């Protein structure tokens, strides 16, 4: 007898792909590689997203690829990892709404009602980048100048990158009750005045995130018609949930919803692809081998395994792009950025604003 499944390739059968393989390390879940997402040494790659996005950026720099660092550290902030760990110093961009609003703020299309918080010393804190200046800004003029410089760098990231990698991290978030401005952490987790009455908790739905991500991608393509986008889902579990249920249930919903959003987006937008870092780390045949003892943080061996598979399918160090090869003098490589890249390659821990919830 014959049926539609009879002659499918091995990778479409569980027993031939997982059950018959010599351990989880031998399983490569990537079947087809989008050739337009091959990264060459002169490909300008930018990243944003949750904590796991920093691992991708760090690996690219170590292997000699051009990771776009568009925001050199200002005087006195040379050792601030915010300027070393992100394409622009936006910190963790956990949710789709944060990413969308970051673009809107960068182009002057969204002006939050509350653009700064005040800490216990009376200094100003950036609600959208709580890690940018832990002790705060002395004056509003100083704060505004730093914010304007940052948003200019964000515009450079969107306009100049050849490939934009976004790691979906959370569905849960905190939003202003007046205008919906999204922050990476609840105000109470940062040294600031009591603003809890101004913010509310939301747990995003799949349809909401899919629609908002589509708007962001449409605008990104208008700004940068040549850009290609890669989506990943962070395998790092929630550190805490505000939903009135066990954190295990919230984590399952969050990762499931984000994975669906990624799939829906790839199916809708031809210039977007997905890389399965989440599946490589979290799939149950791995028997949690890539997680630390807390079953949340990813071991260095897990990151290395993910990046080996990523390199196998997406990195080509032997040649330059043939279509839009960038001349050496056109590559942004100021002395400040070059110095930051050296520091970045040797950095150890990732920045994770979510950790503030356990302080």
């Amino acid at each position: 007898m014959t049926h539609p499944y009879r002659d499918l390739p091995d990778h479409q059968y569980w027993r031939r792909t997982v059950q018959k393989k010599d351990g989880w390390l031998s399983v490569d879940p990537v079947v087809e590689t989008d050739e337009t997402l091959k990264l060459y040494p002169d490909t300008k790659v930018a990243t944003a997203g949750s904590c796991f996005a920093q691992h991708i950026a760090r690996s690219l720099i170590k292997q000699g690829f051009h990771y776009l660092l568009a925001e050199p550290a200002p005087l006195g902030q040379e050792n601030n990892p915010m300027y070393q760990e992100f394409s622009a110093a936006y910190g963790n961009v956990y949710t789709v709404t944060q990413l969308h609003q970051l673009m809107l703020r960068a182009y002057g299309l969204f002006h939050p009602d509350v653009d700064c918080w005040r800490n216990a010393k009376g200094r100003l804190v950036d609600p959208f980048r709580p890690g940018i200046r832990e002790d705060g800004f002395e004056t509003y003029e100083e704060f505004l100048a730093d914010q304007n410089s940052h948003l200019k760098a964000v515009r450079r990231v969107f306009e100049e990158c050849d490939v934009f990698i976004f790691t979906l991290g959370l569905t849960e978030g905190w939003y202003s009750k007046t205008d919906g401005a999204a922050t990476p952490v609840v105000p109470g987790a940062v040294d600031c005045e009591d603003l809890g009455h101004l913010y509310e908790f939301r747990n995003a739905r799949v349809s909401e995130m899919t629609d908002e991500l589509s708007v962001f991608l449409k605008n990104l393509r208008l700004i940068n018609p040549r850009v290609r986008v890669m989506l990943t889902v962070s395998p790092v579990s929630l550190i805490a949930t505000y939903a009135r249920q066990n954190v295990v249930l919230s984590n399952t919903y969050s990762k499931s919803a984000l994975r669906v959003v990624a799939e829906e987006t790839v199916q809708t937008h031809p210039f977007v692809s997905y890389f399965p870092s989440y599946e490589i780390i979290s799939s149950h045949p791995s028997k949690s081998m890539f997680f630390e003892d807390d079953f949340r943080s990813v071991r260095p061996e897990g990151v290395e395994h993910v990046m080996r598979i990523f390199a196998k399918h997406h990195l080509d160090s032997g040649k330059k792009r043939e279509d839009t090869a960038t001349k050496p003098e056109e590559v942004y490589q100021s002395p400040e950025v070059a110095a930051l890249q050296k520091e970045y390659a040797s950095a150890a821990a990732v920045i994770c604003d979510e950790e503030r919830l356990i302080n």
Side-chain angles (χ1 to χ4, degrees), residues 75-344:
L75 186 65
Q77 294 294 311
E78 292 84 0
N79 295 324
N80 188 336
M82 287 282 284
Y83 296 96
Q84 305 167 22
E85 303 289 330
F86 307 95
S87 290
Y90 29 63
N92 299 131
V93 182
Y94 287 117
T95 66
V96 172
T97 298
Q98 275 183 265
L99 179 66
H100 184 209
Q101 291 182 359
L102 177 64
M103 173 180 281
L104 295 179
R105 289 194 298 116
Y107 288 92
L109 300 175
F110 178 45
H111 301 278
D113 294 337
V114 178
D115 65 348
C116 62
W117 297 338
R118 195 174 294 275
N119 65 18
K121 296 180 180 179
R123 297 169 67 90
L124 301 178
V125 177
D126 191 335
F128 309 104
R129 303 184 296 156
I132 195 63
R133 192 78 68 85
E134 292 289 350
D135 59 346
F137 295 87
E138 184 69 34
T139 66
Y140 185 71
E141 289 72 22
E142 181 188 7
F143 165 80
L144 195 60
D146 185 83
Q147 186 181 79
N148 289 337
S149 176
H150 165 63
L151 294 178
K152 180 180 179 181
V154 172
R155 293 194 295 272
R156 283 199 53 215
V157 170
F158 291 145
E159 293 167 10
E160 296 182 18
C161 69
D162 300 307
V163 174
F164 182 73
I165 302 175
F166 180 58
T167 300
L168 295 143
L170 296 174
T171 57
E172 296 188 10
W174 290 86
Y175 301 82
S176 167
K177 292 181 180 179
T178 60
D179 61 2
T183 60
V185 292
V186 63
V190 179
D191 176 19
C192 70
E193 55 197 317
D194 184 8
L195 299 172
H197 62 289
L198 298 180
Y199 291 84
E200 62 184 0
F201 169 79
R202 298 181 196 168
N203 200 5
R205 306 287 293 273
V206 168
S207 58
E208 298 167 349
M209 293 185 288
T210 302
D211 290 345
E212 192 161 21
L213 186 54
S214 292
V215 173
F216 167 82
L217 291 169
K218 177 182 178 181
N219 291 336
L220 180 61
R221 261 294 172 113
L222 290 174
I223 295 167
N224 184 351
R226 73 181 185 282
V227 70
R228 308 289 297 185
V229 176
M230 179 181 291
L231 299 177
T232 65
V233 173
S234 172
V236 180
S237 302
L238 274 67
I239 199 167
T241 179
Y242 196 72
R244 301 309 189 202
Q245 61 184 8
N246 189 285
V247 67
V248 174
L249 275 66
S250 289
N251 186 69
T252 300
Y253 166 73
S254 182
K255 301 305 179 183
S256 300
L258 295 174
R259 181 62 185 90
V260 172
V261 170
E263 190 66 26
E264 291 287 326
T265 303
V266 169
Q267 295 295 330
T268 306
H269 301 275
F271 63 95
V272 180
S273 69
Y274 175 76
F275 180 76
S277 55
Y278 173 74
E279 288 83 353
I280 294 169
I281 296 296
S282 300
S283 293
H284 66 270
S286 71
K287 301 178 181 178
S288 299
M289 64 185 296
F290 296 130
F291 284 104
E292 298 284 4
D293 292 341
D294 61 4
F295 295 106
R296 177 179 180 270
S297 306
V298 179
R299 295 179 184 272
E301 296 86 349
V303 176
E304 292 172 5
H305 182 57
V306 166
M307 294 313 301
R308 276 196 297 271
I309 295 178
F310 182 89
K312 172 184 174 182
H313 295 281
H314 293 288
L315 301 187
D316 191 333
S317 59
K319 62 179 180 179
K320 295 184 177 181
R321 289 170 291 150
E322 297 176 356
D323 53 345
T324 56
T326 306
K327 297 179 181 178
E329 61 269 22
E330 294 177 343
V331 176
Y332 183 72
Q333 187 72 5
S334 69
E336 295 87 352
V337 170
L340 285 179
Q341 286 184 338
K342 291 181 180 179
E343 292 182 24
Y344 182 87

